[in-house]
Amino acid sequence: MKSSRLVSILLLLQTRGRMTAAQLAEELEVSVRTVYRDVEALGAAGVPLYGDAGHAGGYRLLDGYRTRLTGLTADEAEALFLAGAPGPAAQLGLGSVLAAAQLKVRAALPAELRAHADRISGRFHLDAPGWYANADDAPHLPAVADAVWSSRVLHVLYRRWREPTDVERRLEPYGLVLKAGRWYVVAGPGPRTYRVDQILEITTRDEEFTRPDGFDLAAYWTAYQRGFHDRLHHGEAVVRLAPGTTLTGPAGEALRRGGRTDDDGWTRATVPIESVDHAHAEFLRLGTGIEVLAPEELRSRIARTVAELAERYGNSRPPGGD
């Protein structure tokens, strides 16, 4: 809209100082001719800005002039909480809203604080997903987010891991959580947790719902994660760890709480495991820094794998080598 574009030009000149018509056009993604018309409209409205010709020229506001049009809209205030995560904001359809909110905040800051904010934004960046994690394809995320904002009921076709895999669900979306690059929606009744990328089809109903009084999304997620780990790690293993070798997650916590040091400096502990298959892969990653004492099934399986690896790499030359 032209009105919002005029405000953007005003705020850009206020925060950045002199800018050429080409720079404004690039920033606003419009033509230079459109910028010329907008600048004329601002001048006609009494905004004290002027243009300098020449190589170092451009438009600027009269020294000392500051607009008071820096109030945040409701959408911009919501997007501001994602200011440290522009990628997730864009996934939620709030990328342009976030940019507008940041511009307004910068325009409202004194020069010295604005410079400090620029230094912070230039030195910190959030990249949540792990190195080897593929980005989830969640095409229905904007629709879910819109239902969260507007408290609208959703009807979804959802794919779960057990039979029947594809099920229909009526969801009352209370909130969204981004965990390690993956989006989850916490929804009633229940509430229960659903992966957004597993929603196959979605319909927004013309029906509003009311969030339960006192529902705390952060507190729910903390409890959910704790319960998830309790359900996931239903087995145990007795291990010895070489000095300097550490474990993470629930196993690391068990090591810190109950580990004891043997005479040779190794630490012995009973740690939770998800399964023999999972522990086999995880413990092999630690190489010679770990020894599994129990269960015997896990110890024997690791021993077989190590023996196979030793046989495979026992020859100095790879198969087919000269």
Side-chain angles (χ1 to χ4, degrees), residues 92-162:
L92 291 172
L94 296 173
S96 60
V97 178
L98 175 61
Q102 291 173 327
L103 180 59
K104 288 186 176 183
V105 170
R106 289 189 73 252
L109 292 174
E112 64 277 8
L113 293 182
R114 190 185 312 147
H116 180 64
D118 289 341
R119 286 196 298 272
I120 292 176
S121 63
R123 286 163 172 76
F124 296 94
H125 175 70
L126 174 64
D127 184 12
W131 280 109
Y132 304 106
N134 294 325
D136 289 328
D137 183 16
H140 300 300
L141 177 60
V144 175
D146 185 66
V148 171
W149 306 136
S150 60
S151 298
R152 293 285 179 180
V153 172
L154 294 173
H155 182 270
V156 303
L157 180 63
Y158 185 76
R159 175 160 294 168
R160 58 183 186 176
W161 63 269
R162 64 179 183 272

Side-chain angles (χ1 to χ4, degrees), residues 24-44:
L24 288 168
E26 181 179 3
E27 185 73 26
L28 301 172
E29 299 181 349
V30 297
S31 67
V32 173
R33 186 180 297 275
T34 297
V35 171
Y36 289 150
R37 290 197 298 265
D38 289 346
V39 168
E40 290 178 359
L42 287 171

Side-chain angles (χ1 to χ4, degrees), residues 11-26:
L11 294 174
L12 284 168
L13 293 177
Q14 181 172 306
T15 57
R16 301 187 187 180
R18 181 185 286 108
M19 294 183 69
T20 66
Q23 289 171 331
L24 288 168
E26 181 179 3

Side-chain angles (χ1 to χ4, degrees), residues 28-212:
L28 301 172
E29 299 181 349
V30 297
S31 67
V32 173
R33 186 180 297 275
T34 297
V35 171
Y36 289 150
R37 290 197 298 265
D38 289 346
V39 168
E40 290 178 359
L42 287 171
V47 175
L49 80 166
Y50 59 93
D52 296 324
H55 177 71
Y59 294 106
R60 60 174 299 171
L61 294 169
L62 186 67
D63 290 343
Y65 177 81
R66 296 184 63 83
T67 177
R68 296 182 181 274
L69 298 176
T70 54
L72 295 176
T73 68
D75 286 344
E76 290 166 351
E78 291 167 347
L80 196 57
F81 288 99
L82 299 170
Q91 289 179 314
L92 291 172
L94 296 173
S96 60
V97 178
L98 175 61
Q102 291 173 327
L103 180 59
K104 288 186 176 183
V105 170
R106 289 189 73 252
L109 292 174
E112 64 277 8
L113 293 182
R114 190 185 312 147
H116 180 64
D118 289 341
R119 286 196 298 272
I120 292 176
S121 63
R123 286 163 172 76
F124 296 94
H125 175 70
L126 174 64
D127 184 12
W131 280 109
Y132 304 106
N134 294 325
D136 289 328
D137 183 16
H140 300 300
L141 177 60
V144 175
D146 185 66
V148 171
W149 306 136
S150 60
S151 298
R152 293 285 179 180
V153 172
L154 294 173
H155 182 270
V156 303
L157 180 63
Y158 185 76
R159 175 160 294 168
R160 58 183 186 176
W161 63 269
R162 64 179 183 272
E163 295 289 345
T165 56
D166 297 355
V167 295
E168 294 185 2
R169 290 288 184 265
R170 177 188 180 276
L171 304 184
E172 299 176 357
Y174 300 158
L176 282 162
V177 176
L178 178 62
K179 171 69 173 179
R182 177 171 290 160
W183 286 99
Y184 298 85
V185 57
V186 177
R192 300 181 64 183
T193 303
Y194 302 85
R195 280 177 50 174
V196 177
D197 65 317
Q198 295 302 302
I199 295 177
L200 306 178
E201 298 177 6
I202 188 168
T203 301
T204 303
R205 292 183 173 178
D206 189 18
E207 175 188 355
E208 293 189 14
F209 68 88
T210 302
R211 291 172 102 239

